[in-house]
Amino acid sequence: KNEFATALEDSGFCIRYCFAPCHPFKMSVAEVGTSAELLSIDRPCACPVGACKCCCYQTMTVTSGGQPMGSVKEQCYCCVPRFKAFDEAGKELYKIHQPTCCGGMCINCCAEGNPCGKGCCKASFRIYPASQDKTDGDAPYIGTILKKPKSFATEVFTDANAFDLTFPESASTDEKALLIGSAMFFNANFFERENN
């Protein structure tokens, strides 16, 4: 295993309990062993991800040592939630969404393998260049954020999640930090259950 960091969410019990899964939070990602902060994530309260959305978008900003590194913003969509990643100056870097089928109208649950076999419990988000127009179906992608299945013991006794990130080859250090923050953002939006 290549564990290098841990994350700790800073939000109150009442706000998590009453406003899950769209509650605001700040999260600090620290290096394992030293507790040195690698990055900080800030997500304000917004409407939760749903089947269609045209306003009140989820957003997240990533900083390190108080310096902005970029942001991820939900976009207008129908059926499959779509996000864009921006650098600290607001320049669009990546388009990110789950793999799709049926002309981009459905999430492809078989994209990571047979959901009843090797693909069981996997959920991915594909990373596309900002300049790429076609991102649906079998469109080529440059990176992934994959939620990996947990062991039986981890599933039963914890609510921990594990992600495997494949970075775009040309990604800078700041862009990699932004994509790590994106994994935390997607975890909060898609995989955290209400009232956890």
Side-chain angles (χ1 to χ4, degrees), residues 40 57-63 67-76 82-96 127-131 172-182 185-186:
S40 181
Y57 300 122
Q58 289 280 339
T59 61
M60 172 211 60
T61 56
V62 176
T63 58
Q67 298 300 312
M69 300 179 85
S71 62
V72 175
K73 298 178 183 175
E74 187 179 28
Q75 303 298 302
C76 182
R82 295 170 187 272
F83 300 85
K84 288 185 178 177
F86 300 88
D87 68 10
E88 69 281 355
K91 178 185 169 204
E92 187 179 334
L93 298 171
Y94 305 112
K95 296 176 182 175
I96 307 170
I127 303 166
Y128 303 90
S131 59
S172 68
T173 303
D174 285 358
E175 291 169 3
K176 288 177 181 179
L178 180 61
L179 292 171
I180 290 169
S182 298
F185 180 59
F186 295 145

Side-chain angles (χ1 to χ4, degrees), residues 50 58 65 70 92 136-137 144 157:
Q58 289 280 339
E92 187 179 334
D136 290 318
T144 58
F157 298 111

Side-chain angles (χ1 to χ4, degrees), residues 79-134:
C79 299
V80 178
R82 295 170 187 272
F83 300 85
K84 288 185 178 177
F86 300 88
D87 68 10
E88 69 281 355
K91 178 185 169 204
E92 187 179 334
L93 298 171
Y94 305 112
K95 296 176 182 175
I96 307 170
H97 63 80
Q98 292 173 295
T100 63
C101 59
C102 302
M105 296 302 289
C106 295
I107 295 170
N108 184 352
C109 62
C110 297
E112 299 304 327
N114 180 350
C116 297
K118 297 265 187 205
C120 182
C121 301
K122 291 183 180 177
S124 67
F125 292 83
R126 294 192 173 162
I127 303 166
Y128 303 90
S131 59
Q132 186 171 323
D133 291 328
K134 183 182 180 324

